[in-house]
Amino acid sequence: MIMNSIRYVDQMNIDGKRILLRVDLNVPLKDGTVADDSRILAILPTVQYILENGGMPIICSHLDRPGGKRVPELSLKPVSERLSQLLGEKVVFVDEVIGPNVENVTSTMKQGSIVLLENLRFELGEENNDESFSRSLASLADAYVDDAFANAHRSHASNVGVTKYINDVGGGFLMRKELEALGGVLESPDRPLVVAIGGAKVSSKIDVIEHISQVADRLLLGGAMAFPFLRALGIDVGDHRADGEAAKKARQMLDERPDTLILPEDFAIDDHGRREVDVKNLPSNGNVLDIGSRTIDRFASELNTAGTIVWNGPMGKFEQEGFETGTRAVAEAIAQSSAYSLVGGGDTNAALERYSLMEQISYVSTGGGAFLQMLSGRGLPAVRALSIETIKA
Ligand code: ADP
Ligand code: MG
């Protein structure tokens, strides 16, 4: 049988080598400093392992969505400072991603030195998985380690393209932890399996939702994720995230699995503060920012009876005062449930953190889209890119 398996950093020979280390340092910034450092903490074991074993890490990450150009507010400079503090080591920050300056700094590294490159997404080639950009990244190092689980559902230059031009590739410890924890957990979950999905990244998550709806007993839809489903039912909230493509897929899911999908019955809109309205009376240009009270009760009672729970995506714009109710109530219902609970996503985890509920979740993943895709059993392109085919008897 041919199996795809991946190697990890502790199975690689890294002594004296420059290691291009792709991580996810997409942290929230506030007033030019790091507002939450959990993603930095999550990659420390891999960085430390590389240093202790004589490797020279050239660390790279994206931050937010600068769209292929330099956006000074989205520089990784503040992240570099926090990383340095947490490691207790000097981190050399280069304010470019490729080019002669980067080549200079990386080619003169010595054992013990650490380099962090600027935001990968300042370069158009990153999200386009551009070949020459991938080659340039690869040329900086002798080996490549990917520890960016949360980005593994994307096919970008720094996690897919680059692996074609470096022979020696493997995963980091965070990647291993996530793949081991999430692989196969939904093969035979305790039923009912209740999945709650919200958040804002509608177009990038709709396909994965389609997949998950086939294994879930109940699929609760909140946040902006409900918009394409509403549009499919003829209710247009005037939000660009409910684009025609997403609404078409939503329509299909509603037709195929009407008993699985549970949509909000009411919402909270911003009308000089929180005002709840029935779904039938939603104004077409209303600013829909949370699920309403009846929906909260319905979602909570579904979560109460679950055998297994999966949650990604806030139920509303919980960062805004008055619109945290739905997200907080869902988080609390999951925390109180005796079901096995899997929660993931940058913003979702920030909500758990804010309401001090982290400890009451069975497994918290650093991934959002990647977490859902892994659970849906579709595999991840960045993990496939690391795979070595091995023949097993
Ligand atoms: P995660 O990071 O957990 O994967 P997403 O990035 O998909 O989640 O979505 C999180 C964001 O979605 C939050 O910043 C939240 O404010 C926003 N959001 C959720 N519901 C709404 C809504 N109804 N309107 C506007 N923004 C929303
Ligand atoms: Mg997010």
Side-chain angles (χ1 to χ4, degrees):
M1 185 170 54
I2 294 180
M3 298 247 310
N4 283 317
S5 64
I6 79 173
R7 282 193 314 158
Y8 291 97
V9 61
D10 56 354
Q11 296 161 293
M12 296 167 70
N13 177 9
I14 56 174
D15 192 18
K17 292 187 178 159
R18 274 166 309 180
I19 315 293
L20 183 67
L21 175 61
R22 174 49 157 120
V23 292
D24 188 334
L25 295 176
N26 184 20
V27 300
L29 296 176
K30 206 174 173 198
D31 307 324
T33 60
V34 175
D36 175 59
D37 57 14
S38 39
R39 282 193 164 158
I40 309 181
L41 292 168
I43 60 136
L44 292 183
T46 303
V47 179
Q48 275 154 346
Y49 179 87
I50 292 173
L51 290 170
E52 281 159 17
N53 289 277
M56 297 172 275
I58 303 167
I59 306 174
C60 61
S61 172
H62 72 282
L63 178 70
D64 214 329
R65 302 181 165 205
K69 59 181 192 302
R70 178 173 286 272
V71 176
E73 304 76 57
L74 299 181
S75 169
L76 280 170
K77 180 100 203 299
V79 178
S80 147
E81 284 155 16
R82 183 65 69 88
L83 176 64
S84 171
Q85 272 173 13
L86 292 170
L87 282 169
E89 305 279 351
K90 182 176 173 202
V91 172
V92 178
F93 178 70
V94 194
D95 69 353
E96 287 164 299
V97 186
I98 47 166
N101 193 20
V102 174
E103 283 157 31
N104 232 337
V105 173
T106 52
S107 63
T108 54
M109 284 172 86
K110 296 197 175 56
Q111 282 182 326
S113 59
I114 307 163
V115 167
L116 175 67
L117 304 180
E118 184 52 287
N119 190 344
L120 287 161
R121 292 190 185 168
F122 283 4
E123 295 290 331
L124 260 184
E126 165 63 357
E127 291 183 80
N128 294 339
N129 194 12
D130 176 73
E131 199 175 306
S132 86
F133 179 65
S134 301
R135 275 181 204 274
S136 304
L137 279 177
S139 72
L140 302 175
D142 308 301
Y144 170 79
V145 173
D146 187 0
D147 213 15
F149 172 77
N151 203 49
H153 58 315
R154 313 226 179 263
S155 296
H156 292 169
S158 67
N159 65 350
V160 171
V162 72
T163 62
K164 286 196 212 135
Y165 308 107
I166 296 190
N167 284 329
D168 208 359
V169 301
F173 297 130
L174 176 61
M175 185 68 93
R176 173 154 70 196
K177 183 179 138 200
E178 295 272 16
L179 296 180
E180 285 177 358
L182 299 174
V185 281
L186 292 193
E187 267 164 30
S188 55
D190 279 342
R191 302 270 174 188
L193 167 60
V194 180
V195 179
I197 299 186
K201 292 178 188 159
V202 173
S203 57
S204 77
K205 286 179 189 168
I206 192 100
D207 285 330
V208 140
I209 293 181
E210 213 285 307
H211 239 79
I212 284 209
S213 73
Q214 297 172 27
V215 291
D217 297 299
R218 287 277 185 273
L219 182 51
L220 318 177
L221 292 155
M225 203 50 88
F227 298 168
F229 291 86
L230 294 179
R231 180 162 162 183
L233 295 171
I235 305 163
D236 191 351
V237 296
D239 190 292
H240 71 277
R241 284 169 289 206
D243 62 72
E245 215 26 61
K248 227 163 73 192
K249 290 175 182 164
R251 176 77 257 173
Q252 205 176 339
M253 277 184 254
L254 287 167
D255 289 341
E256 285 169 8
R257 273 171 282 278
D259 300 332
T260 307
L261 303 191
I262 300 179
L263 289 171
E265 301 159 36
D266 56 351
F267 286 95
I269 61 172
D270 190 2
D271 182 14
H272 308 288
R274 184 181 181 99
R275 178 161 76 86
E276 296 203 358
V277 287
D278 190 279
V279 63
K280 291 190 205 78
N281 304 324
L282 272 183
S284 62
N285 56 355
N287 206 1
V288 179
L289 296 185
D290 195 12
I291 52 176
S293 315
R294 277 188 288 129
T295 305
I296 291 173
D297 290 345
R298 174 80 202 273
F299 284 9
S301 79
E302 293 293 347
L303 291 163
N304 275 335
T305 62
T308 308
I309 294 171
V310 172
W311 178 36
N312 166 253
M315 293 292 121
K317 199 172 178 191
F318 73 99
E319 302 91 341
Q320 190 174 325
E321 207 194 314
F323 298 95
E324 71 281 12
T325 322
T327 301
R328 184 171 189 154
V330 161
E332 282 170 351
I334 297 172
Q336 280 156 21
S337 157
S338 56
Y340 186 78
S341 52
L342 292 153
V343 177
D347 296 293
T348 309
N349 296 353
L352 280 181
E353 188 81 61
R354 183 179 292 199
Y355 311 129
S356 309
L357 298 169
M358 278 277 184
E359 303 301 315
Q360 290 156 71
I361 307 299
S362 311
Y363 183 78
V364 179
S365 169
T366 56
F371 159 81
L372 289 177
Q373 185 158 327
M374 184 69 198
L375 289 176
S376 79
R378 288 173 73 204
L380 300 165
V383 176
R384 276 194 287 276
L386 296 176
S387 299
I388 33 175
E389 281 196 347
T390 50
I391 313 279
K392 291 217 169 151

